Amino acid sequence: MSKRTEKVFVFGATGSIGGAALDVCRRSSVDVVGIGTKSSLDSLESIVKNFNVRVIHIADKNISLVNKMSLPSGVKVFWGEETSRDAIITSGADTVLNGVSGSAGLSYSIAAVESGVAKLALANKETLVMAGNLFLEIASSKGTKVVPVDSEHNALFRLLGNVDRRLIRRLILTASGGPFFEEKPLEPTPAEALAHPLWQMGKRISIDSATMMNKVFEVVEAHYLFGFTYTEIDILIHPEGLL
């Protein structure tokens, strides 16, 4: 019996996380049936052509596709954040990947579980930082499995597997230390804070990395995902970065 093809809706498809997800889908048997973006149309047309996309969701209602791209017949377009649930249902997706950054991602996580999808691949840490138990209770009541795809948490998810949690005393999250790990200027400038030594990221995440606030968010995320107390979650400064 052949394995059923997984149907995925990717929110944040034109961003770095979405792009990485699409690359994985391209090299596997995953069928990308829906894509979402806030307002960027630059790579939207090529994504539609390279995948079996049935639905496009554009969060910004002021964006028009008229005379900007040629879409295959049958592709449906939804505008506005409030239509994301309908877009998911129309696409027939059984998995939603939330690659939207920042607090805006919470609404897409909620839309995913309310649409009844089997799985939410979560790369938006703000969903758990802001909603925590409330969101997980909704996901559980709808029968949606929440799987972290953000780097450290996905690694922990895989390591934990079916291990008896009573045998684990603590979780350790690694942190690069950011641009001020070795040199700590008395009056750092925004440009210095944005100059991460390892990664090229957006401005907000780069600043959060420089202040270590991003790692605080990740501790909260790990707490809700894996059920460990905050005293059982440690942070290790580990400047080496491997791709």
Side-chain angles (χ1 to χ4, degrees):
M1 181 180 294
S2 60
K3 187 177 179 180
R4 182 178 61 85
T5 301
E6 190 170 6
K7 299 176 182 178
V8 178
F9 198 119
V10 179
F11 284 105
T14 56
S16 58
I17 295 174
L22 290 172
D23 185 53
V24 171
C25 293
R26 185 180 292 107
R27 292 183 282 109
S28 65
S29 60
V30 174
D31 187 10
V32 179
V33 295
I35 55 174
T37 183
K38 179 181 179 181
S39 57
S40 177
L41 304 183
D42 294 342
S43 57
L44 213 57
E45 189 170 7
S46 63
I47 295 174
V48 172
K49 290 180 178 178
N50 289 321
F51 295 94
N52 185 32
V53 174
R54 304 169 188 170
V55 173
I56 296 174
H57 181 268
I58 300 175
D60 190 342
K61 293 181 179 180
N62 296 317
I63 299 296
S64 173
L65 297 181
V66 178
N67 297 326
K68 291 187 177 179
M69 65 173 60
S70 175
L71 297 176
S73 62
V75 174
K76 296 183 179 180
V77 183
F78 290 78
W79 278 272
E81 290 185 13
E82 68 276 10
T83 67
S84 55
R85 176 179 174 273
D86 292 335
I88 296 168
I89 293 173
T90 302
S91 72
D94 46 42
T95 296
V96 168
L97 185 139
N98 186 354
V100 176
S101 62
S103 59
L106 175 59
S107 66
Y108 296 99
S109 293
I110 293 175
V113 297
E114 288 186 340
S115 72
V117 293
K119 185 189 302 179
L120 170 62
L122 186 62
N124 176 265
K125 60 177 66 68
E126 285 80 6
T127 292
L128 294 173
V129 171
M130 294 190 299
N133 284 331
L134 178 61
F135 171 74
L136 292 176
E137 287 173 5
I138 297 172
S140 178
S141 68
K142 297 292 186 178
T144 298
K145 183 179 181 179
V146 179
V147 177
V149 294
D150 202 12
S151 53
E152 289 93 340
H153 300 83
N154 181 261
L156 285 171
F157 176 78
R158 292 172 179 274
L159 287 170
L160 288 168
N162 295 320
V163 175
D164 187 341
R165 301 298 176 89
R166 293 172 296 181
L167 301 176
I168 303 173
R169 289 180 293 175
R170 61 175 178 157
L171 301 181
I172 301 175
L173 296 172
T174 59
S176 68
F180 303 134
F181 174 58
E182 294 184 348
E183 296 185 12
K184 301 177 178 61
L186 293 177
E187 297 182 3
T189 66
E192 290 173 327
L194 289 169
H196 195 283
L198 297 174
W199 316 117
Q200 295 296 318
M201 305 176 290
K203 290 183 178 181
R204 203 221 74 185
I205 191 69
S206 296
I207 294 297
D208 283 352
S209 177
T211 62
M212 293 293 287
M213 192 65 196
N214 184 59
K215 204 53 56 176
V216 174
F217 290 160
E218 292 185 355
V219 168
V220 175
E221 186 181 10
H223 163 70
Y224 285 117
L225 282 170
F226 308 118
F228 286 78
T229 66
Y230 290 115
T231 57
E232 295 172 323
I233 305 173
D234 291 339
I235 298 173
L236 173 69
I237 300 295
H238 191 273
E240 182 182 21
L242 300 175
L243 291 175

